Every structure is written in C-alpha cells, then in structure tokens.
Amino acid sequence: MNSQSSALPNYRFCVAPMLDWTDRHFRYFFRGLSKQSLLYTEMITTGALLHGDAPRYLAYHELEHPLALQLGGSNPDELAACAKKAEAWGYDEVNLNVGCPSDRVQNNMIGACLMAHPTLVADCFKAMQDAVSIPVTIKHRIGIDGRESYDELLDFVGQSVQAGCKRFIVHARIAILKGLSPKQNRDIPPLKYDVAAQLTKDFPDCTFILNGGINTLLDCEHHLQTFDGVMVGRAAYHNTYEWATVDQRLFGSDTPIISREQAFLNILPYIEQHVKEGGTVQHISRHLLGLAQGFSGSRRIRQLLSVDIHKQPAREVFDQVLTYLQSSDVNG
Ligand SMILES: Cc1cc2nc3c(=O)[nH]c(=O)nc-3n(C[C@H](O)[C@H](O)[C@H](O)COP(=O)(O)O)c2cc1C
C-alpha cells in the first residue's frame, strides 16, 4: 500500500472519515495537496452497501489511492461481504467504525456502542480479515459511558488483537452515548492522549494511529514521537491548505510544495468533468473553503465559494477566486 516515493507507511498521516465531508470530491482535492497521506471514505453502512446503490458508494478516482473504505455494521457475515466488495473495488484497506456515537447508528448496533461488545467486534474483525487480503483496521474510542476503565479498554483492544487485528485508530476520548449529540461527543469528553499512549506500551506489536484534536503539523510531529501515525479530521477539512506540506514534513518528500493558486487551478478540470457527467459545481466548490484561511482576502474567497457560487456563473466566481489567490501574501 505504501507509495513508491517514501519508505514511511502512508498511515503516518491519515485524513479521518467524516460523513458528508470526506466524499470523493474532497478526497480528490486533498490528494492534490498530499500524495502520501492515507485517506478514508465516509462511513458506509453494510445495509447501504448490500441493499443500496453500491457503485454510488464505492466509486472513486484512481488518484485517491491510498484509500481506505470505512464500514459501519456489526454482523460478521455482512461485514465480510462488504470487505470483499472493498477489495474488489481496489481499496487499500477496510476499516470498522467503533467510534460513532449517533443515536441512529446505536439503534442498529453500529459505531461506538460496539465498545460494550468486544467479543462481537473481534468476531466482526475476524470475518472481515478472513474474507480479504487487504489490511482490516478498527477505529475506536477509549471507552463509552459505563465502560470507561482502562481494564475494559485493554479487554476491548486485546480481544481484537487476539483475533488478528494489528492496526488501530484511537480517538482519544470516550463517547457518551446517553445525552450528548455526535457533535458534542467530538468536543466535550476530554482528550486523554496518555490513555492512548498506554496502549502502545501494552501492545508493542500493534500499530496505533492517534486521532482527536490534532490541528497542526507541529501537533503531528509531537505525537509521532509516541504513535505510529496521526489521523486528522476537522482541521483537515476546515484548514485544508495547512496540510500542503505533509509530504515534505512528515514523509521526507523533496517534491515542491504546491501553491494555493495551483491547488485551485488543479481542481478546475475535475469540476468541469464532474459537470459534464451530470453533477453540479456546488458538489465540489463546497469542499474548497479550507484553501482560504488566515490571509487577507480569505474570507471573501470563502464567501465566493459558498454564497456567490449559487448566484453567479461559476467561471466568473472562479476568476475572482484566482485573482485573490494570485495576490502576493496568500502562501505565507
Ligand atoms: C462532520 C463529521 C463527520 C464524521 N463522520 C465520521 C464517520 O463517518 N466515521 C468516523 O469514524 N468518524 C466520523 N467523524 C469523527 C472523525 O473521524 C474524528 O474521529 C473526529 O472528528 C475527531 O478528530 P478531529 O479532532 O481531528 O476532528 C466525523 C466527524 C465530523 C466532524
């Protein structure tokens, strides 16, 4: 799965699965900034994949590799069938979601509620891994309400390790399943990086990717002293250009750093093609706001891409964006 140009594994820097955000368009855009990062799809439930329009969920652009498909489910046979689809479609990894706290998914035994069922998760993992030869990984929390002790976390991870799991993504806070919304569950329970770090000591043969509250490359460099990789969610989406130096700083690449203007120019033919195939400009423009943060004119660019794009011809909006991006202070 590693790309040829670096000896370091792609999971050293991952972009988190985010429903409605990390669709194929955002992933393509992000890939324009970093060739090495490992990208994750939004969570797709086994039900959607087995009974819905599978090609719609699974299609992606070849340039998105290395790419992991995240699944939500708790039926081992269904998860195995979906893992097979992931492999057949050329995904580089399949990941099981044991971190999502939403009520909707809890009712279907999907996501963080599965932390209360370590044996079932281990069975799910085993069924998936037996079905495919690509890596199967687990993304989980450090606990849930009522199951917050380190011993319970050890038991959870330990059972999956016994079943053969070697790579875990640890969102380093618990999920509170009763009383908090998914959004609150990404901020209110405190981050406990020390708990995630303890896992690296207790399972030295496994690979642990740290997730939660990582906002800058400096944060990444710090955490990479303890963890095998980092996974960034909201900051990758809201401040996308921050990550234009990931390949150089975290993977040792000596390729030139792309400018904001070039990153924007590169997405234009992709948008054109999408529109030719029947899509809309807005499907993609909504994902580009993270290119414009923290310089004079950035607010106007975000407004152009989120408001004006619905009222004016796209060509005119894009020309204005380009004019702002060509001003001298944007890449500083
Ligand atoms: C809009 C949104 C959607 C998300 N959807 C998923 C998802 O589909 N699967 C998942 O495992 N986590 C999902 N998450 C959680 C993120 O993957 C990540 O664990 C969380 O945001 C913490 O990382 P961060 O602090 O870097 O954002 C979502 C987060 C956001 C903000």
Side-chain angles (χ1 to χ4, degrees), residues 14-22 40-44 70-71 95-101 111 139-141 169-173 182-183 185-187 191 193 210-215 231-238:
C14 310
V15 176
M18 289 181 284
L19 216 54
D20 201 36
W21 289 10
T22 52
Y40 282 73
T41 66
E42 311 162 87
M43 178 184 79
I44 304 171
Q70 189 188 55
L71 292 175
N95 174 264
L96 179 62
N97 182 338
V98 190
C100 179
K139 179 170 182 275
H140 64 94
R141 300 267 184 150
I169 298 153
V170 190
H171 184 174
R173 51 164 64 91
K183 188 165 188 298
N185 258 309
R186 293 194 281 266
D187 285 318
L191 284 163
Y193 294 138
L210 181 71
N211 172 240
I214 303 172
N215 292 322
M231 171 179 272
V232 177
R234 289 162 290 184
Y237 192 81
H238 291 311

Side-chain angles (χ1 to χ4, degrees), residues 104-226:
R104 259 202 348 237
V105 299
Q106 270 184 65
N107 296 335
N108 292 315
M109 280 281 281
I110 294 174
C113 62
L114 292 174
M115 293 213 64
H117 304 279
T119 308
L120 176 59
V121 172
D123 288 348
C124 290
F125 170 85
K126 189 161 184 335
M128 293 163 81
Q129 191 64 89
D130 285 350
V132 295
S133 53
I134 54 175
V136 178
T137 62
I138 296 176
K139 179 170 182 275
H140 64 94
R141 300 267 184 150
I142 57 172
I144 48 175
D145 35 345
R147 251 190 97 89
E148 293 171 39
S149 73
Y150 187 69
D151 279 352
E152 283 159 317
L153 179 60
L154 266 183
D155 178 43
F156 174 83
V157 174
Q159 291 205 36
S160 289
V161 170
Q162 282 279 310
C165 187
K166 294 215 169 342
R167 186 161 14 120
F168 296 86
I169 298 153
V170 190
H171 184 174
R173 51 164 64 91
I174 65 160
I176 297 175
L177 300 178
K178 292 192 182 69
L180 290 191
S181 70
K183 188 165 188 298
Q184 290 171 318
N185 258 309
R186 293 194 281 266
D187 285 318
I188 292 178
L191 284 163
K192 295 190 176 165
Y193 294 138
D194 55 326
V195 173
Q198 188 59 41
L199 289 173
T200 68
K201 297 191 184 111
D202 288 326
F203 299 96
D205 298 333
C206 292
T207 298
F208 288 95
I209 316 297
L210 181 71
N211 172 240
I214 303 172
N215 292 322
T216 64
L217 275 158
L218 264 181
D219 290 347
C220 294
E221 284 164 347
H222 169 71
H223 291 304
L224 285 169
Q225 292 169 20
T226 308

